[in-house]
Amino acid sequence: MIFRQLFDNESSTYSYLIASRKGGEALLVDPVLEHVDRYTQLANELELKLVLAVDTHIHADHITGLGKLREKTHCTTAMGAQTQAECVTTYFSDGEYLKLDGIDIQAIYTPGHTDDSYSFVMPNRALTGDTLLIRGTGRTDFQNGDAAAQYDSLFGKLLTLPEETLVYPGHDYNGMTVSTIGEERRYNPRLQVTNRQAYVELMNGLDLDNPRMMDVAVPANRRCGIDQAA
Ligand code: FE
């Protein structure tokens, strides 16, 4: 399996390039607009055919590369059925498998950070978007965020995965790249709550500034990062 974690310095976003083998079909998760050329170059170097690009949710802190990637490579773009992004080629829903040669990857609806948040689960590893971060969880105070829904996504879905499952988040601000479900269950301070209400109070007590790019990024990402102005 080819699995590459790519980093955007500006927004501390991780993007992922995934394929079953050299010469095979590839998937990009959460591409950042400014790095589209880097992704396509890497895919070419690894002799991969980029067939699908997806976002875990509508991002507020960077502009997505979905639209530009589709223009450049004619790949399919997809997001969850709950998204307000109307620009993608197709939508996936909870439990659906993304169609990719040799790759077994399931979309799991994990709302809470936003109401369109998905995680992607493969054997032994999960891309958890901004639902589960390393020693943290995604904020729930904008974009139809919902701390109670996030509790259910975490405790009812992601934390039910096997302990040794590798956790690859959508961001990291502290230099961490990968964790495991068991490690997060034990050491993630947000997950040490006894019930849903305690989690809601914890999340509602966070007093966070809005992301610098939010006013630009959210409307742009509803258009897949493509500027529709003539
Ligand atoms: Fe986010």
Side-chain angles (χ1 to χ4, degrees):
M1 184 182 188
I2 293 170
F3 185 90
R4 296 296 167 89
Q5 184 181 44
L6 300 141
F7 188 61
D8 173 56
N9 266 323
E10 284 295 311
S11 61
S12 298
T13 297
Y14 285 126
S15 309
Y16 298 91
L17 178 67
I18 302 166
S20 64
R21 59 184 168 79
K22 191 176 170 183
E25 293 181 345
L27 160 73
L28 252 171
V29 178
D30 286 335
V32 174
L33 178 64
E34 287 79 5
H35 305 311
V36 161
D37 291 344
R38 190 219 284 179
Y39 307 140
T40 54
Q41 183 183 344
L42 179 59
N44 287 339
E45 288 165 354
L46 299 176
E47 298 174 26
L48 302 176
K49 179 170 172 43
L50 183 65
V51 295
L52 179 63
V54 302
D55 272 352
T56 50
H57 61 291
I58 289 189
H59 299 284
D61 58 353
H62 67 269
I63 297 180
T64 178
L66 286 189
K68 189 171 175 191
L69 275 166
R70 186 171 65 193
E71 284 184 354
K72 204 172 166 185
T73 71
H74 307 292
C75 66
T76 299
T77 55
M79 287 186 70
Q82 293 80 358
T83 192
Q84 289 177 29
E86 294 170 354
C87 50
V88 290
T89 323
T90 184
Y91 298 88
F92 45 77
S93 53
D94 187 31
E96 199 174 305
Y97 282 84
L98 304 185
K99 289 179 184 62
L100 208 65
D101 157 40
I103 295 281
D104 200 21
I105 182 163
Q106 189 176 28
I108 307 283
Y109 184 44
T110 50
H113 171 60
T114 64
D115 59 0
D116 68 345
S117 289
Y118 271 74
S119 299
F120 299 108
V121 177
M122 286 166 278
N124 307 320
R125 71 184 78 197
L127 307 186
T128 55
D130 293 358
T131 304
L132 176 60
L133 305 175
I134 298 175
R135 308 301 192 264
T137 56
R139 61 192 296 173
T140 54
D141 58 335
F142 59 63
Q143 286 189 281
N144 298 323
D146 181 333
Q150 191 173 61
Y151 178 91
D152 292 340
S153 295
L154 289 163
F155 286 87
K157 292 184 174 175
L158 293 177
L159 295 178
T160 67
L161 294 169
E163 289 243 316
E164 62 277 13
T165 305
L166 296 170
V167 170
Y168 287 95
H171 294 283
D172 192 83
Y173 306 98
N174 304 303
M176 303 290 278
T177 54
V178 59
S179 181
T180 65
I181 290 293
E183 198 179 315
E184 291 312 304
R185 189 179 261 291
R186 277 187 289 283
Y187 301 117
N188 188 322
R190 299 259 175 96
L191 304 182
Q192 308 310 309
V193 292
T194 49
N195 57 46
R196 182 189 286 113
Q197 187 53 33
Y199 186 75
V200 170
E201 285 169 18
L202 171 68
M203 294 306 287
N204 291 348
L206 302 173
D207 188 18
L208 303 168
D209 293 333
N210 281 342
R212 203 162 29 92
M213 279 186 65
M214 181 170 167
D215 293 343
V216 176
V218 171
N221 288 338
R222 290 200 180 117
R223 305 189 305 267
C224 290
I226 296 290
D227 190 352
Q228 289 174 335

